[in-house]
Amino acid sequence: YESFEMEYVKPFEIEHKSTWIVVRLDGRHFHKFSKEHEFDKPNDERALNLMNACAAATLEKFPDIVFSYGASDEYRYSYIHLIFYVKIEYIIVSFFSFVYVMKWREFFPEKELRSIPCFDGRTISYPSSEIIRDYLAWRQVDCHINNQYNTCFWMLVKSGKTEQEAQKRLKGTQTDEKNELLFKEFDINYYTLPAMFRKGSCVFRDKVEEIVKYNEGAEPIKRFVEKVIIDHCDIIGDEFWKEHPSILKEQE
Ligand code: DGT
Ligand code: MG
Ligand code: MG
Ligand code: MG
Ligand code: MG
């Protein structure tokens, strides 16, 4: 059990009895990194899957992390804990970076890793689960807005417009107008684009039914086991949180 309560993280202050700690992790200079590695624009499926695999590995390593949400080059982890820890972000950031390097080949077998991926980590604390939910919803809305803009932008550029022309064309456009542009000019229905691009990625533990063994009659024996899963679900509405009440349960 790799708890943050190990001796290398010295608690310095008891601020709240119960608090959420969010570690915000963001790729450093990923503008350059994504260019250098020729990531697809605006979304590189493999690069995003690699980020998700790093997030899943981080949740597997640290059971204190209850939920994480990621889009683009960033990931945010939520914890609940009684005490603040010194430099918790350093542990996450270094772990995440190492996993990114280790797993690179798995996701990009034909691509050389040409520079060292670095991540920034910042810690923010929130006093209640309502605020955490608002915060996560805001991130998912942001993911949608960015993705919709970027999808339009790169379609315009790929169709021959300059970046300045594309920017000008999109300036001040509303959601509906962007959807219409995609549909009319590029025959793209925004809502059929991959959920990972539109909604970002959630990583959390869930009970899943698994075949644990087969009996003598070759019938499968199933059990519910807890697993770290990656999903691209809606976290703005109530449904997800009603289905997963334990994630945001506040501790005493
Ligand atoms: P920073 O965070 O201040 O060190 O600077 P950046 O360059 O990491 O900028 P940031 O974090 O605001 O924006 C993320 C950058 O990463 C942005 O330039 C686009 C790039 N990026 C992220 N995901 C993808 C992807 O899937 N495909 C491509 N082509 N680029 C991506
Ligand atoms: Mg030590
Ligand atoms: Mg930035
Ligand atoms: Mg960045
Ligand atoms: Mg970023």
Side-chain angles (χ1 to χ4, degrees), residues 24 26-29 73-74 120:
R24 193 200 136 161
D26 187 292
R28 295 191 68 183
H29 313 306
D73 71 335
E74 61 183 51
D120 272 332

Side-chain angles (χ1 to χ4, degrees), residues 29-217:
H29 313 306
F30 259 50
H31 178 72
K32 186 160 170 256
F33 187 85
S34 55
K35 217 179 239 170
E36 210 175 0
H37 295 90
E38 296 165 322
F39 284 176
D40 291 340
K41 286 168 177 170
N43 296 291
D44 187 291
E45 200 169 341
R46 294 189 296 173
L48 293 172
N49 281 328
L50 172 56
M51 289 290 285
N52 292 346
C54 295
T58 309
L59 255 84
E60 260 150 28
K61 180 80 173 169
F62 303 108
D64 291 338
I65 305 174
V66 295
F67 188 81
S68 93
Y69 176 74
S72 179
D73 71 335
E74 61 183 51
Y75 247 103
R76 287 140 202 269
Y77 299 96
S78 324
Y79 317 83
I80 189 160
H81 235 287
L82 301 182
I83 330 169
F84 258 97
Y85 293 107
V86 175
K87 302 302 177 201
I88 206 173
E89 62 273 25
Y90 286 2
I91 301 165
I92 312 267
V93 157
S94 55
F95 183 81
F96 194 98
S97 311
F98 279 122
V99 179
Y100 196 98
V101 173
M102 275 180 70
K103 285 189 184 282
W104 177 269
R105 271 255 161 273
E106 197 184 306
F107 290 86
F108 294 105
E110 83 296 357
K111 254 182 217 185
E112 205 66 50
L113 183 59
R114 303 163 76 104
S115 61
I116 298 166
C118 293
F119 294 88
D120 272 332
R122 273 205 309 144
T123 312
I124 314 147
S125 86
Y126 294 98
S128 74
S129 34
E130 288 81 54
I131 291 170
I132 282 284
R133 256 198 67 174
D134 286 350
Y135 174 76
L136 289 169
W138 166 57
R139 295 318 311 153
Q140 193 164 49
V141 168
D142 209 50
C143 168
H144 163 72
I145 291 169
N146 290 333
N147 183 58
Q148 201 187 29
Y149 182 92
N150 293 337
T151 305
C152 292
F153 181 85
W154 287 110
M155 283 313 296
L156 289 166
V157 170
K158 283 172 189 168
S159 75
K161 290 219 173 6
T162 66
E163 299 200 2
Q164 284 91 328
E165 283 168 344
Q167 220 167 27
K168 222 171 134 191
R169 173 80 170 75
L170 291 170
K171 207 175 166 198
T173 52
Q174 300 297 304
T175 291
D176 291 350
E177 295 170 78
K178 289 196 197 74
N179 281 347
E180 209 174 285
L181 184 151
L182 286 176
F183 195 68
K184 285 209 173 129
E185 292 184 32
F186 305 109
D187 210 19
I188 293 172
N189 177 350
Y190 181 78
Y191 296 98
T192 61
L193 294 177
M196 177 163 71
F197 301 171
R198 291 181 293 112
K199 294 179 189 292
S201 303
C202 302
V203 185
F204 52 95
R205 290 179 198 81
D206 206 359
K207 292 233 176 348
V208 289
E209 207 171 19
E210 242 188 16
I211 297 168
V212 285
K213 60 178 178 188
Y214 292 87
N215 68 11
E216 298 87 54

